[in-house]
Amino acid sequence: MSHLTHLECTSCGQKYDPKQPHNLCACGSPLFARYDPKKISSAISRETLLKRDNTIWRYRELLPVDSGENIVTLGEGGTPLILASKIASRLGIKYILFKDESFSPTGSFKARGMSVAVSKAKELGVTKICLPSAGNAGSAAAAYGVKAGIEVNVFMPQEVEEIYQQECQAYGARLTLFGNSILEAGQEMNRRIKKDWFDFSTLKEPYRVEGKKTMGYELAGQLNWILPDAIFYPTGGGTGLIGMWKAFEEMEQLGWIDSFRPKMYVVQAEGCAPLVKAFLEGKQMSEPWQNPQTLATGIRVPKALADFIILKIVRESGGKAVAVSETEIQNAFRLAAKTEGILLCPEGAAALAGLIKLLRYEKNDIPFRRPVIFNTGSVLKYRNYLRQTLP
Ligand SMILES: *Cc1c(COP(=O)(O)O)cnc(C)c1O
């Protein structure tokens, strides 16, 4: 079923056996799953995929799970691409599409990553997992974990919205609140980690990114195998951006798309913009952001483990990294709500704000006409944000 062949280090190329659970490479870099493109090509075509059920598991040959019995699914994937023509004409571009992940199980696109990672963990006989989370990854891990019969230990920052705590409680996950950011919660996890806990942290575990790469496959399928010319992605740990770029490479290798790539735009909040700072300074890696502040909690990530991969992709694609203010985020939320009937989560609103900002500064030389904006989750979880943002 899966045509996974091995795991490969993103820095040194070292190979690992996918029959065993692995975290990072011995050199400290994330591992990527690699597949046999010849076998995939003879098993499926891009057209046959589209006839299957519209979940991430229609791409099962390109995902790492061997046996169908191990698939843990809540119906993730298959989210709509929504045309926002009013905003587009207001901004003077051809069209804007929202990839709306708010429809996902557990209310965010973290479901894609967790469905795949938890399924693979189950297949490998993992019984306990742990992860730090700003909220949504914890809820998704808790839901898929309980379905798989895996114990889930979540570490969240203290001031996390109550809803995330309630979700963990409902699913029976073990929750520890610590510190002021996902980084500090993760440090506490590392102090308390037990021998039999498998570390599910973003990109320290090689299969969450496989789940998120399905966004790249889905986009291509929804756009008739012609990729958009720009993608605006609210970036925290960067799993989705890295995953989509990986999907584009895999699809080109399979002959499903050509070598055209969207410009990839990383959008962060001004109160927590380590990748933007590194991008503007021409650096290959970011520095941990001190005192991170933003209501867009999904991107309140002071340091991305895979920052060097994210920055490389942004530069290679000809995109940029952009920071937006809280006011710009809130204005973008109001604009989408009042014109298009779409409620953006603060991260999605940040992505739209990033687009608006770029268009303002590059009015005469807009490098794209057909951008896709990721609305990564449901705003209904953000009660504080909504209270402060409603007109
Ligand atoms: C986790 C999260 C993000 C950031 O995603 P990454 O792929 O880790 O960069 C953005 N928005 C929401 C709603 C999230 O939960």
Side-chain angles (χ1 to χ4, degrees), residues 192-299:
R192 295 227 212 152
I193 197 161
K194 304 231 167 69
K195 264 217 181 78
D196 60 346
W197 290 6
F198 184 63
D199 189 340
F200 247 51
S201 306
T202 302
L203 287 156
K204 275 192 193 166
E205 182 287 332
Y207 301 115
R208 282 172 66 182
V209 69
E210 292 302 289
K212 279 208 185 166
K213 87 178 176 189
T214 58
M215 296 190 294
Y217 283 94
E218 243 175 68
L219 258 188
Q222 286 174 309
L223 292 170
N224 227 348
W225 308 100
I226 299 166
L227 297 178
D229 55 3
I231 290 178
F232 284 78
Y233 187 81
T235 311
T239 329
L241 183 120
I242 294 169
M244 282 192 278
W245 198 254
K246 183 172 187 286
F248 300 155
E249 280 172 4
E250 289 174 359
M251 282 189 281
E252 186 181 353
Q253 217 180 13
L254 292 168
W256 294 1
I257 60 169
D258 60 20
S259 61
F260 176 79
R261 293 286 184 279
K263 295 187 193 324
M264 304 297 276
Y265 291 91
V266 156
V267 184
Q268 297 197 298
E270 282 176 357
C272 183
L275 293 166
V276 179
K277 184 164 184 283
F279 177 80
L280 294 175
E281 291 172 352
K283 302 230 167 89
Q284 272 159 26
M285 281 164 79
S286 63
E287 294 296 322
W289 192 269
Q290 301 304 319
N291 191 23
Q293 303 263 354
T294 173
L295 288 166
T297 46
I299 54 174

Side-chain angles (χ1 to χ4, degrees), residues 84-96 355 359 363 366 368-371:
S85 43
K86 284 189 191 162
I87 300 181
S89 70
R90 204 187 266 214
L91 298 176
I93 56 177
K94 197 156 181 201
Y95 62 74
I96 293 174
L355 167 73
L359 290 178
K363 239 194 155 89
I366 301 169
F368 50 79
R369 296 279 150 195
R370 308 180 306 139

